Amino acid sequence: MPLPTDWASARATAVAHSRFLERLLGARPGLEEAVAARWQAPLDRDALAEWLAPRLAAADGDDALKRELRALRAFAMAHLAVRDLTGLAPLAEVVETMTSLAEVTVNAALAFFHAGLAAQHGEPRGADGQALTLAVVGMGKLGGRELNVSSDIDLIFVYPEEGQTDKGLDNYDFFSRLGKRLINAIDDVTGDGRVFRVDMRLRPNGDSGPLVCSLDSLENYFITQGREWERYAWIKGRVMNDLCQTCHAQALAQVVRPFVFRKYLDFGAINAMRDLHAQIRREVARKDMADHVKLGPGGIREIEFIAQVFQLIRGGRDSQLQVKPTLEVLARLAERNFLSPDAVAELTRAYDFLRRVEHRLQWFEDAQTHRLPGIESGGGQDRARLAASMGFAGWDDFLAVLDDHRQRVSRHFEAVFADPEGKRPECEGSAPLWQGGLDDEVAAAKLTALGYRRPADTLSLIQRFRAGSRYQQLPTQNRERLDALAPGLIDAAAAASQVTGAEADETLARCLAFLETIGRRGAYLALLQQYPLARQKVAELIGASHWAADYLNHHPILLDVLLDPRLTEVREDWQADWTAFRAELARHLADTAGDAERQMDLLREAHHAQVFRLLAQDLAGLLTVERLSDNLSQLADILVQAVLELCWGFLRQRHRDKPAFAVIGYGKLGGKELGYASDLDIVFLYDDPAQEAEEVYARLAQRINTWLSSRTPAGILFETDLRLRPNGDAGLIVTSTAAFRDYQLKHAWVWEHQALTRARFVAGDPALGEAFEAIRVEVLRQPRDLQALRDEVVAMRHKMRDNLATGTDTEFDIKHDAGGIVDVEFIVQYLVLGYAHAHAELTGNLGNIALLKISADLGLIPADLAEGARRAYREYRRLQHAKRLNNAPKARIAKDSVASHIAAVTALWQHVFAAQ
């Protein structure tokens, strides 16, 4: 449709598509001239308020107020109709103009009547004597700033607290009268029409409830009577009036937010909204409303449901999803990969198209309709008019595009809301096994057929579970959900055994233990019921690893991670993933600025989610042990840096913007060899001449350690060990760089220099990190008496073996026995300390495998012995990791299974320490 360039053509185009507009322009003298003067520019809220202000100032009573409000509506509607129907106004302008019209008129009426009532009865006041105002909460499309062109407005009236006016009228009575007058001013049909239809049915207890309610009574209602559909409705609730004090608006938000947005991931919302939509669909079918662009299949409501179910599920944990407008929610879902970008693009295009169709239907007669015109009673002309107004040559062309959009919406809706159990009859699958509907022989045979090796034991396990007190005492809804998902879990455990090689019987036992853990958390049961793929992944993960099963039992919130389609994607540029993670973590922490408890939980939840992601990739065979450790070490670095920055921000007495402070990692953190449950060996350094520096940084270090190691409801972040600082437990918690250098050069033991070979800067001031590295290199490159060094290293190693080695003639302790991991580490540390003065490349924190090769290339050790030790070390770490995944208390294996590796390490040890 070509855009008009003059008023005559704009008017002709618009009235051709709107009988309402034609009548309106003819009925109000001067209206056409007013619109003709401004039709080429949008009307924003300021322009509407500016138009109304002088007229309102001259209003001398209720009738005059009504007249001016309706005059404003006539002007705004005529102006908007011209811009919309000529293609000048995009959807965003249309809904924003309508929303602004509602806000301006409601606020004008509210201020007018509040002033009149206050003059008669005095100002309503709270306990502190402060004058109070009525909060007008816009719901639905008004709350979301998405009002359509013939919409009613859904309002709820909330006043801050009980009390009385200056002249003794109860606040409830004052605000009730105010609310009634406001509704009458907006909704009453006069000779000039109405401004908006006002719908108050969303208030507590609907039509049977009081017109206004106090904030306390609203909170009590939410707690005792709030229903699931009201959570959905309140997503878009927004205080829309100018007069409501900010503090009261914030107090209202604090009451509404926990009712709508749960702290946990609320997957039960899917079932609730599926049921609500099913009711709507039944009503649509009963009333033959398939041609309804809002409520019919693939209509506007389904797009809104898709957006809002994700808000209900995740909004409590991601405040960025608590926004009101539908399209903004969809965009954020795409950013977080909860919906694919393609799906969001299709839904966005469909939403825009359907809303524009809705508006054109309503422009015909200014009627609140969403039905496509039929062919009877002149409907054929309306069809042609609708198609033309949407830019189509004819009805069939329009209908083809409309149907395509609706089919796409329906497909996406079904993908989100499809009932996972709806396509499988109850008698199929493993339901009879779970329900006990089979005799034991038949049940055992069925389990055997599924792949269970100990069917009698497994059947007994199922029966004990169902007879147990934990199961029997579950709330009815939870037990029903568990009963719905458990048969699928029996199948999933059997299928998992084909993937992991673990026994299906053991996998199911772990699965049932997990169900016991989450049995009272309906949201988790709902997730597993809703997403069969997540159910399968759970079975595979906990079947493959006892440690994974324990981890999931401790942190069941991680079930959400299983829904991410990128869970087992390993990118070549894995550092880019950590850059994105760092940015996302910073955003979440910024959203909760000032709330230390929530931030501590956020850090733990983020850590657990990333560990779980790596665990899934690890068990899928996608990560080497080395790459896994690199990732876990990078994760620790990011989290320690975040903790440092947060703790510095919470210190009350800071003498500078950024701390001259660094966290140094030793041990596995320093060597980038972290495992899933490794603790952090850390040392705190500072370089600051300020007089108060030591005291300030000591407090910072203590707070960092507390944030890292304290147990919160979300668990702990890391166990920490600070004993590697100068003078160990007897030393200060923080050390200046000068004191650290002096200690390392003059007082440190050889074993402390051994530890220094694996130390590195982890977090804090990069300049201080460079200073530390310079000190480390200086210390490591000191010339040493090789014989004395050998004596020290070998003595320390013997002492460790005496205390820690536990192997026997047939068993081998991978870490501590002679020929094991610690021998390789001591060999490397000796080579670094003994020869770094001549070979600077040995000071690089490159890991033991790389340093063995460098030593061989330098001729310090034979290449064949170095390669044998490298292979052994790599295999030891793999075996050690596998043991830990299954909670083996000691990393012991059959000695003969690694005899060649023991021999290789022993040979290198004997070569290096031959003098001994």
Side-chain angles (χ1 to χ4, degrees), residues 9 107 110 134 141 211 221 267 318 336 380 394 441 474 517 526 540 564 687 697 715 745 775 780 820 875 878 880 890:
S9 59
N107 275 293
L110 185 68
L134 183 67
K141 286 186 167 58
L211 185 66
Y221 176 83
F267 286 93
D318 186 347
R336 288 153 176 76
E441 288 187 9
L474 286 176
T517 298
E540 290 175 8
D564 189 342
D687 186 9
Y697 292 126
L745 290 173
I775 294 170
L780 296 183
E875 178 64 8
R878 188 190 68 79
Q880 185 184 52
K890 295 286 186 180

Side-chain angles (χ1 to χ4, degrees), residues 557-770:
I557 195 173
L558 295 173
L559 284 173
D560 176 51
V561 178
L562 298 176
L563 303 183
D564 189 342
R566 302 166 299 177
L567 179 63
T568 52
E569 289 180 8
V570 179
R571 295 170 54 181
E572 284 294 321
D573 184 14
W574 58 279
Q575 287 288 356
D577 287 334
W578 290 118
T579 300
F581 168 74
R582 185 184 287 107
E584 182 179 8
L585 178 65
R587 177 170 55 79
H588 286 309
L589 291 171
D591 288 342
T592 55
D595 187 345
E597 289 185 9
R598 182 65 192 126
Q599 288 178 327
M600 290 177 77
D601 282 345
L602 274 173
L603 289 164
R604 283 150 178 76
E605 290 159 6
H607 178 234
H608 298 154
Q610 291 304 313
V611 168
F612 197 60
R613 178 177 66 85
L614 293 170
L615 176 63
Q617 294 173 358
D618 180 17
L619 293 175
L622 301 174
L623 297 175
T624 63
V625 175
E626 291 81 2
R627 176 59 63 84
L628 172 66
S629 291
D630 286 344
N631 277 282
L632 290 170
S633 300
Q634 179 78 72
L635 174 60
D637 289 1
I638 292 170
L639 293 171
V640 172
Q641 178 67 38
V643 167
L644 190 161
E645 293 172 2
L646 290 168
C647 289
W648 183 250
F650 276 109
L651 280 185
R652 290 192 181 129
Q653 296 178 336
R654 299 191 304 272
H655 62 292
R656 55 191 298 163
D657 291 336
K658 292 187 177 180
F661 181 88
V663 180
I664 307 301
Y666 278 72
K668 292 189 179 301
L669 174 62
K672 296 186 179 180
E673 292 186 348
L674 280 185
Y676 290 121
S678 297
D679 58 7
L680 303 187
D681 293 299
I682 51 179
V683 169
F684 301 118
L685 300 182
Y686 73 94
D687 186 9
D688 189 334
Q691 184 176 356
E692 67 270 35
E694 183 175 311
E695 181 182 350
V696 170
Y697 292 126
R699 287 202 304 271
L700 175 61
Q702 289 165 347
R703 182 163 290 193
I704 290 172
N705 193 50
T706 298
W707 273 58
L708 290 173
S709 59
S710 293
R711 183 170 296 279
T712 76
I716 67 167
L717 204 50
F718 296 101
E719 297 283 0
T720 58
D721 190 336
L722 311 184
R723 291 175 296 175
L724 289 175
R725 66 187 186 271
N727 295 308
D729 284 338
L732 298 173
I733 193 170
V734 291
T735 308
S736 70
T737 51
F740 181 81
R741 178 178 180 274
D742 182 73
Y743 178 86
Q744 292 291 339
L745 290 173
K746 299 177 182 177
H747 307 291
W749 297 86
V750 170
W751 68 264
E752 291 178 285
H753 286 175
Q754 287 180 252
L756 197 63
T757 64
R758 292 158 61 94
R760 65 182 177 88
F761 168 73
V762 168
D765 182 353
L768 196 49
E770 292 176 6

Side-chain angles (χ1 to χ4, degrees), residues 302-322:
E302 291 190 355
I303 300 174
E304 293 171 340
F305 268 39
I306 290 170
Q308 288 165 337
V309 75
F310 282 100
Q311 289 184 282
L312 289 177
I313 292 170
R314 301 177 180 278
R317 303 189 68 80
D318 186 347
S319 61
Q320 295 294 311
L321 292 178
Q322 295 178 14

Side-chain angles (χ1 to χ4, degrees), residues 182-194:
L182 172 60
I183 293 169
N184 180 265
I186 300 296
D187 188 82
D188 186 33
V189 179
T190 71
D192 298 310
R194 58 154 62 99

Side-chain angles (χ1 to χ4, degrees), residues 281-292 296-297 371:
R281 281 243 173 126
R282 286 194 293 271
E283 188 70 5
V284 167
R286 185 178 68 81
K287 295 183 177 180
D288 191 20
M289 297 166 65
D291 59 354
H292 201 286
R371 280 182 177 274

Side-chain angles (χ1 to χ4, degrees), residues 74 135 227 254 284 348 369 388 565 681 761 828 869:
R227 290 159 289 184
Q254 290 173 358
V284 167
T348 299
T369 181
D681 293 299
F761 168 73
V828 171

Side-chain angles (χ1 to χ4, degrees), residues 6 48 108 127 223 232-233 272 289 296 302 370 401 411 505 585 639 685 740 743 773 837 857:
D6 60 86
L48 293 169
I223 293 170
Y232 161 75
M289 297 166 65
E302 291 190 355
H370 299 85
V401 174
R411 186 176 71 249
D505 310 83
L585 178 65
L639 293 171
L685 300 182
F740 181 81
Y743 178 86
E773 182 61 17
H837 70 280
D857 292 343

